[in-house]
Amino acid sequence: MLQQLNPSVKAGAVLVPSILLSFSYDVFTPLVFLFLLLVFTWTWSGMPKKKWLMLFSPFFIGAAGFAWMTMLYAGDGYQSGEVLFSVWHFEVTEGGMEAGISLGLRSLCFIALSLLFVLTTDVTQMMHSFMQQLKLPPKLVYGIMAGFRFLPLFRHEYTVIRQAHRVRGVEAERTVSGRLRHFRRFAVPMLAGAVRRAERTALAMTAKGFTGDKNRTWYKRERVEAKDWVFAASLNGALLLVLAASWYFGYLSIFHWDAGRSQ
Amino acid sequence: MHPDTIALKNISAYIEDTTILQNLDLHLEPGTVHLLSGPSGCGKSTLLQALARLFPEDGSEKVEGSWHIPDHLRTGMVFQDPESQFCMMRVEEEMAFVLENLGTPPERMEEEITGVLAETGLTPLRHRLIHELSGGEKQKTALASVLLLKPHLLLLDEALANLDPAAQQTLAALVMNIQKKRKCTVVIVDHQPENWLSFIDRVHLMSGEGTITASGTPEETFIGSGAETCREEGIYIPFPYRKKATASRRRRSGKEDPVLEMSALTPARGDACRVQLSLRPGEITALAGSNGRGKTSLLQTAAGLQKPRSGEVFLKGKPLSSWSERELRRRTGYVFQQPEHQFIAESVKEELAFGPRLSSAADAEKKALEKMKQFRLAHRADVHPFSLSGGQKRRLSTAVMLEADTEVLFLDEPTFGQDAASIRSLTDLLHRLRLKGTAVLLVTHDMNLVHELCDRVVVLLKEKHWIGEPEALWADEALMEKSGLLLPAGRMQKEEFACSSS
């Protein structure tokens, strides 16, 4: 199961394909890789398909929007081949269409990769792994952890301040300068609150013996094991296979240099 | 002298030229329990931090005098705010964080964590997320993590202040048991220390200048030598040492038409359900019940800040929805728990002129000056509201909500974290409002306030509520028990203090 993998290796394993994919401008490569990713996610993440689809669908709509915009506005470099159809006075060429669909598919690949990581990783484990494997300084990591706990409090505080101002008779501002003033009125108490809370937390952490020293003992050791490398190798191997196939069948396009064999 | 004794002699401390502590003497024998009492801002917290070796060391500080805290002495400190004492997500992780800081060998950690969780009764919560715990459970978690430091000296800085009365009692009892077993020295700072009294060996009274002016047993200090200081400095005298407060409810005729009515009101959040309540001019009504029952939600719904799930609120016979926002805000005032949330201007004067200006009063400036005098803020006219002291902020936040024609005032936990002087100025104000005929609805845990001042109490229970006079509530033991309320000090016998804590 992906939950048991080492977060640092998992992050690396997911990051590499994201970068490599961003260079392939054809349709075939991201399409096939996306298909493999879905298989990966559904067999190994232990995540119910329905829940995953619920999370994925809003991004799907976003990606479709991206693709559509790219089709219409694709730069001259992509405008090749016949004009397929025209919308108002935008003409969609074969090249533009390909660029658009490719971009959409690549976005979906990034999203699937991100979800694969985010949904199977525990924040605490990740932070511990960043300190133990990537040697990030504890001061930074525990600071982020403490800050992470504040997020829901901010939301709550924003609601309360809005009500408190409403009670004072502050009404919704419509002009730009009014909105600016409005923003300042919110910013002062929120910032003051945040600074004070941060100070209190820092004091409490110091009182608990936290010095930021790198020489700590660990309650739970995050280890890198064979299965982590198997995961990294299979995910990236899959991408290499797809790239190879794409090259073999002549689809592969890096930027707009057609790298396919048949070219 | 015992090797664990702490002795501070003639200590003065300054931060950036501000005197924090002055000629302070403090002697802590191992295994004893101490209460530090003093007005807000007198340096109690700074003294605790200094004892925990947390005094800021950035060069802006200066400490004089003889400072004897043995090096081998370990200290643990529990703070007031349950929200900002943790940096991990789960109870177990927070415990591990402390042990990792200490460099405890991993193979010993399991045993230590299991041990401390059992000691504090947190075993069932071991894998729970901290932010989902109740306030009392969070404070217990803070205590447990601190106990892992194996402290010789345990410091509690208003550790009970954010909890409801039942949770306060539980946590105080837990600390007492732990102290008996571990024999550690304990120093407590608490504005209303009733929960701790039977347990305290010595009380130290601090004056506003940061000096300890009287030390002794609770009897000696609160009744004897320190009584004078308490009155002068506005230090809260806990009940057994105080003359019985006479309830000063002087009911008005009660025949006037209600100014605010709730009809089968169910707020959107919390347990309150179909509340039927009317407030008459000059009547003070309290909303009580344990945390999470939806007291604040009901208060906000009554003030028109939240939409009700069902039912309706009438102000002067007209439903809230038919009042214009501006008119509604002029006739009602709402004081939030955190005074700072309500401040919108850059100076005290501007803050007080803001309201009158909205109703286009030409004499806004004059009105602001009057208010400043009335609320003893005149000397702070040009100060930014955020730089006021705690008590001043509280006065200002109340002052801005009181217009000449305010008919209903809503207050959320008005005595929360206040020292005796601020509480007194609040009760004086409520008295004046009563005479003027303003109706008051307040949310509070402070049963002393209810006893001394309120005409009626609404107790929120799960799915139900109870409305009646305070005396009837105190008499109903089953109800008190069920709602997690404690008798006000004025109704408790001295022996009950002894029993409840032993």
Side-chain angles (χ1 to χ4, degrees), chain A residues 194-204:
Chain A
V195 168
R196 231 169 282 155
R197 194 171 294 134
E199 271 175 358
R200 284 201 297 263
T201 307
L203 196 65

Side-chain angles (χ1 to χ4, degrees), chain B residues 37-53:
Chain B
S37 276
S40 293
C42 72
K44 299 184 295 282
S45 294
T46 315
L47 180 57
L48 284 198
Q49 286 168 24
L51 288 171
R53 303 189 185 87

Side-chain angles (χ1 to χ4, degrees), chain B residues 320-374:
Chain B
L320 282 192
S321 49
S322 71
W323 288 84
S324 76
E325 177 83 12
R326 177 160 291 186
E327 201 53 27
L328 180 64
R329 296 300 154 221
R330 237 188 59 198
R331 306 225 179 201
T332 63
Y334 190 110
V335 182
F336 281 74
Q337 206 180 45
Q338 285 271 339
E340 288 183 1
H341 287 155
Q342 290 186 276
F343 298 154
I344 44 186
E346 316 250 313
S347 74
V348 171
K349 195 164 73 188
E350 282 305 303
E351 200 70 70
L352 287 166
F354 184 86
R357 243 178 231 145
L358 276 187
S359 39
S360 68
D363 52 351
E365 196 91 351
K366 211 181 104 207
K367 281 192 173 159
L369 285 174
E370 270 168 31
K371 274 245 186 83
M372 273 190 277
K373 263 192 217 126
Q374 191 192 343

Side-chain angles (χ1 to χ4, degrees), chain B residues 6 22 32 37 78 118 139 153 244 280 334 395 501:
Chain B
I6 293 174
Q22 208 178 358
T32 51
S37 276
V78 180
Q139 288 301 71
L153 178 62
K244 253 191 184 174
R280 287 170 208 285
Y334 190 110
R395 290 208 294 276
S501 47

Side-chain angles (χ1 to χ4, degrees), chain B residues 77-86 95 120 122 130 133-146 156-163 167-168 171 174-175:
Chain B
M77 187 155 170
V78 180
F79 298 85
Q80 173 179 350
D81 181 11
E83 307 303 331
S84 54
Q85 292 188 56
F86 308 104
M95 302 301 133
T120 48
L122 287 173
I130 296 177
L133 302 180
S134 73
E137 290 165 342
K138 279 182 192 149
Q139 288 301 71
K140 271 191 199 171
T141 308
L143 175 67
S145 62
V146 156
L156 304 164
D157 190 358
E158 296 276 3
L160 306 184
N162 289 38
L163 309 181
Q168 286 185 348
L171 189 67
L174 178 65
V175 173

